[in-house]
Amino acid sequence: MNRKAAVSFMISSSVYALLHFITYFYESAWLTLILSVLGVFMLLSAAFLLPLKKIQLQLFLVIAALAVLFFTSDSFLGDLIWDCSK
C-alpha cells in the first residue's frame, strides 16, 4: 500500500507541476478543474503515505479553508465543486 501511495503521489505531483506551468501561460477552465482534482488527489495520497503527525499543518489548512468557504459562501457545494461553465 505504501508503494502505491508513493507512486500515485509522485505522479500526481509531477502532473500538477506541469499543468500549473501550462496554465500560467494558457488559462483554461478545464485545466483549472484538473488542477483542483489533482490537488485533492495529492492530499489524499499523502494522507495514506505519511503519518498524521507529518500532515497536521496541511489538514489544518484544508479544514480552515473549508470552514471559511462554508461561512462566507451562498452555495457551499456549488463553490466547493467548481463549475467549469463560468
Side-chain angles (χ1 to χ4, degrees):
M1 182 66 177
N2 257 352
R3 176 81 174 135
K4 287 182 182 181
V7 169
S8 66
F9 183 74
M10 182 183 65
I11 290 172
S12 61
S13 61
S14 299
V15 172
Y16 184 87
L18 178 68
L19 283 179
H20 197 280
F21 182 74
I22 291 171
T23 56
Y24 182 77
F25 295 108
Y26 175 72
E27 190 171 340
S28 170
W30 287 104
L31 288 177
T32 307
L33 178 65
I34 292 171
L35 278 176
S36 63
V37 169
L38 278 174
V40 169
F41 187 71
M42 282 192 310
L43 185 66
L44 289 176
S45 62
F48 287 115
L49 183 62
L50 300 171
L52 184 60
K53 281 192 141 195
K54 290 192 176 186
I55 58 170
Q56 284 179 344
L57 177 64
Q58 292 86 348
L59 288 177
F60 172 75
L61 290 175
V62 168
I63 291 170
L66 288 174
V68 167
L69 181 65
F70 179 75
F71 289 115
T72 60
S73 176
D74 293 332
S75 170
F76 178 71
L77 288 178
D79 290 337
L80 184 63
I81 304 168
W82 187 62
D83 187 15
C84 288
S85 63
K86 290 181 182 179

